[in-house]
């Protein structure tokens, strides 16, 4: 047996794992606590989107989402149909997994990210012609576009 080949193969395996592991690892290490109305179907669709992306998800059924949004500092103009917390950030609405992964990787100084309203084609709102929409970063310094999506696909 040639141990030089085994070492090279092992090294290549380590390099390959290192290239793909960060995004998967970030999601796997992040648990998202979702506050949602018990009867909301689109919220359940968003939870399935997060799980498919590798996030651990804890769902807390709530009737008073306004109280939770107020406690977490979500501006009223960014309110959507569900609210979540992950890695010290607030996630409001149908935010796609790639935006959450970027948020948790970059760790900007912010309260969180939001997709106001319920854009057609966003995670949990599939069906119809996907709309283009912005994921908004918000915090003490105000609001700004963080990422653009069309449906669940990042654009621009």
């Amino acid at each position: 047996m040639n141990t030089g080949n085994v070492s090279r193969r092992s090294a290549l395996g380590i390099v390959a794992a290192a290239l793909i592991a960060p995004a998967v690892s970030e999601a796997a290490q992040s648990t998202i606590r979702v506050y949602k109305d018990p009867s909301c179907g689109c919220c359940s669709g968003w939870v399935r989107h997060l799980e498919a992306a590798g996030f651990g998800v804890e769902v807390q059924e709530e009737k008073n989402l306004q109280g939770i949004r107020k406690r977490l500092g979500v501006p009223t103009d960014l309110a959507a149909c569900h609210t979540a917390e992950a890695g010290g950030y607030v996630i409001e609405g149908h935010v796609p997994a790639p935006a959450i992964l970027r948020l948790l990787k970059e760790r900007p100084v912010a309260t969180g990210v939001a997709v106001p309203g319920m854009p057609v084609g966003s995670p949990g709102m599939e069906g119809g012609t996907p709309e283009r929409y912005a994921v908004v970063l918000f915090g003490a310094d105000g609001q700004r576009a963080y990422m653009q999506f069309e449906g669940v696909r990042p654009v621009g």
Side-chain angles (χ1 to χ4, degrees):
M1 175 175 180
N2 184 338
T3 58
N5 287 340
V6 172
S7 295
R8 273 186 238 133
R9 266 190 237 127
S10 296
L12 288 174
I14 291 168
V15 169
L19 292 175
I20 63 170
V24 173
S25 175
E26 193 71 47
Q29 292 175 8
S30 300
T31 298
I32 299 179
R33 175 176 298 258
V34 178
Y35 304 97
K36 70 176 221 46
D37 185 281
S39 61
C40 183
C42 67
C43 298
S44 298
W46 185 66
V47 167
R48 287 189 298 275
H49 167 77
L50 297 177
E51 291 170 337
F55 286 102
V57 181
E58 295 175 3
V59 175
Q60 185 171 327
E61 306 286 345
E62 287 288 335
K63 290 285 187 184
N64 181 15
L65 291 173
Q66 286 182 320
I68 289 170
R69 287 186 191 105
K70 184 175 180 177
R71 175 177 62 81
L72 295 175
V74 176
T76 55
D77 63 323
L78 296 180
C81 69
H82 52 264
T83 304
E85 296 178 279
Y89 290 100
V90 177
I91 302 161
E92 179 68 16
H94 294 269
V95 178
I100 298 169
L101 287 168
R102 178 180 170 196
L103 177 75
L104 295 175
K105 181 180 179 187
E106 292 179 349
R107 312 264 337 139
V109 175
T111 302
V113 291
V115 170
M118 301 167 74
V120 174
S122 62
M125 294 297 298
E126 292 86 359
T129 303
E131 297 176 346
R132 189 176 183 134
Y133 61 94
V135 173
V136 178
L137 185 73
F138 67 94
D141 291 338
Q143 303 176 12
R144 68 173 176 86
Y146 188 61
M147 288 183 80
Q148 296 283 325
F149 284 83
E150 188 171 304
V152 295
R153 184 178 57 85
V155 292

